[in-house]
Amino acid sequence: MMKILGIETSCDECAAAVVEDGRRVLSNVINTQIPFHAAYNGVVPEIASRKHIEWIQAVVQEALDKAGLDSDGIDAVAATNRPGLLGALLVGLNFGKAFAWAKKIPFIAVDHMLAHLYASRLDISSDVPPDYPFLGLLVSGGHSIICRADSFDSISVIGATIDDAAGEAFDKVSKHYGFGYPGGAVIDTLAKSGNPGAFHFPLPNLSGKNPCDLSYSGLKTAVIHQLEQFRTGGASIGTDPLNPADIAASFQKTAIEILLRGLYSAVEKTGIKTIVAGGGVAANSLLRSSLAQRRDLRCIFPPLELCGDNGAMIAGIGYRYLRRGESSPLTVTASARVEGFKRKLHEE
Ligand code: KG4
Ligand code: ZN
């Protein structure tokens, strides 16, 4: 039995968890900074770093307490070191390194996006984990990637956004309409009482380009333009004729259609029929219900609480590296980006 402490501070969640043998979540503490960033309608990097510095020790302590362990009960430490906000990453990375050094236990630096892809493996209620290769649908606030996964740490990008990430589109639309921050969960909830057919927003024209790619800037612009039309027409939010729920439902319908179109193109291109989703947008109810209807595909989602950023996915994937006899030197540093995750525009 191996108990790994996982630490995640790449963005605005200060999170730590203890996971046994890469599957059983013993504790999963997620302290969100959202209230501190909400006034700015986005994550303020300096505030994020400072809050992580203030909170990290208490969050790790809580994760140990909830797992019923003290620091001696931990066999290894894993922490996110890429990609993310550099100043935020450094807090969890360095705390994790110091913990491992003090306890003379192995340390593993983890890629945040690979960890999102691993998150569904932590669902012990699910039956057999999917066989490789499978298609990965990695959709978060900073990335939108459709990939082929050949192992837990080997993915090749099949399609990616050529402009905004999926979660970013939800956040930006929400910001413009004043729905709240972050936008994903707010729009998802609002959309439930709206009419998805109320507005017709355009799908991106990817003809002649990679059909597995995604694009959100056109949709975002069209939805925001709709607001301008309401403004010049003298309407205000919350009164007729602008019904926020209709905007949310119509936007969400198109946003998810864009994702599904890219994903189904990847299914066609590769013939792979198993899909594993991860990242904050994987919590989207329309995405989940739409994919559930495709009986010909096996679609695996993490439980809702493991879609967004958390320490359990970090501890989980950390275990896989250790099982392979790998760990990181304590000189390992952080990186804001990961090469190869953002498809270059000129690439086909
Ligand atoms: O994975 P995550 O927690 O952080 C990053 O690594 O970026 O993803 C956060 C993103 C945000 O853009 C948020 O608006 C979006 O995930 N999100 C959602 C939903 N819940 C969170 N997007 C659509 N529908 C949701 N239910
Ligand atoms: Zn994330």
Side-chain angles (χ1 to χ4, degrees):
M1 295 286 197
M2 193 162 220
K3 295 182 183 66
I4 300 192
L5 169 67
I7 299 175
E8 157 61 41
T9 64
S10 69
C11 193
D12 60 348
E13 315 289 0
C14 190
V18 180
V19 175
E20 192 175 70
D21 290 347
R23 278 221 80 194
R24 219 163 75 84
V25 180
L26 302 184
S27 65
N28 188 29
V29 179
I30 305 169
N31 237 30
T32 185
Q33 300 181 354
I34 286 173
F36 299 91
H37 301 284
Y40 307 93
N41 276 311
V43 179
V44 182
E46 169 131 1
I47 294 178
S49 312
R50 288 175 184 273
K51 284 291 157 204
H52 286 314
I53 287 272
E54 282 174 30
W55 292 355
I56 187 68
Q57 187 267 334
V59 167
V60 168
Q61 185 64 55
E62 194 181 335
L64 293 175
D65 291 347
K66 286 194 166 150
L69 299 167
D70 62 20
S71 56
D72 291 333
I74 296 297
D75 300 300
V77 184
T80 308
N81 81 324
R82 64 192 185 279
L85 301 169
L86 203 57
L89 283 167
L90 286 171
V91 177
L93 174 64
N94 221 29
F95 193 93
K97 288 208 277 187
F99 190 113
W101 185 61
K103 290 286 156 193
K104 298 186 170 53
I105 52 179
F107 175 76
I108 309 109
V110 166
D111 181 299
H112 181 86
M113 298 311 293
L114 292 179
H116 270 308
L117 196 55
Y118 186 85
S120 62
R121 300 267 318 251
L122 297 165
D123 182 8
I124 42 174
S125 68
S126 79
D127 37 18
V128 271
D131 283 334
Y132 295 107
F134 56 71
L135 288 178
L137 178 67
L138 281 170
V139 276
S140 70
H143 293 87
S144 295
I145 296 163
I146 295 165
C147 61
R148 175 194 159 110
D150 287 290
S151 74
F152 73 87
D153 68 338
S154 162
I155 65 167
S156 39
V157 178
I158 297 171
T161 182
I162 58 171
D163 38 60
D164 291 347
E168 198 179 348
F170 277 83
D171 295 340
K172 285 182 176 167
V173 164
S174 186
K175 173 182 171 174
H176 272 85
Y177 278 83
F179 292 161
Y181 168 83
V186 177
I187 289 181
D188 196 346
T189 307
L190 203 52
K192 289 191 200 314
S193 53
N195 171 12
F199 299 95
H200 293 282
F201 295 125
L203 287 167
N205 180 4
L206 290 172
S207 63
K209 305 200 181 97
N210 178 359
C212 306
D213 273 347
L214 313 166
S215 167
Y216 280 100
S217 71
L219 171 62
K220 179 191 68 186
T221 308
V223 179
I224 292 170
H225 182 68
Q226 189 67 56
L227 180 63
E228 301 303 326
Q229 286 190 337
F230 282 119
R231 277 202 180 123
T232 49
S236 62
I237 296 172
T239 64
D240 276 335
L242 171 52
N243 176 2
D246 286 347
I247 288 281
S250 305
F251 159 74
Q252 177 173 267
K253 173 178 169 274
T254 314
I256 298 305
E257 209 169 318
I258 292 172
L259 263 192
L260 293 175
R261 217 170 55 154
L263 183 64
Y264 295 155
S265 299
V267 169
E268 233 170 77
K269 184 174 172 177
T270 60
I272 299 173
K273 290 192 173 334
T274 303
I275 293 154
V276 175
V281 184
N284 185 269
S285 60
L286 181 63
L287 175 66
R288 295 171 88 103
S289 60
S290 305
L291 278 171
Q293 282 170 7
R294 285 284 306 248
R295 301 274 170 218
D296 56 323
L297 304 175
R298 182 178 180 210
C299 301
I300 300 161
F301 282 88
L304 285 181
E305 69 277 11
L306 295 178
C307 286
D309 294 346
N310 65 84
M313 65 183 189
I314 308 300
I317 197 170
Y319 173 77
R320 296 286 143 198
Y321 286 105
L322 273 181
R323 277 279 305 270
R324 233 168 42 186
E326 293 173 25
S327 62
S328 308
L330 291 183
T331 50
V332 64
T333 189
S335 161
R337 299 224 158 273
V338 174
E339 271 307 300
F341 272 6
K342 269 220 160 155
R343 176 185 287 271
K344 291 175 199 74
L345 274 173
H346 59 265
E347 216 175 73
E348 237 337 286

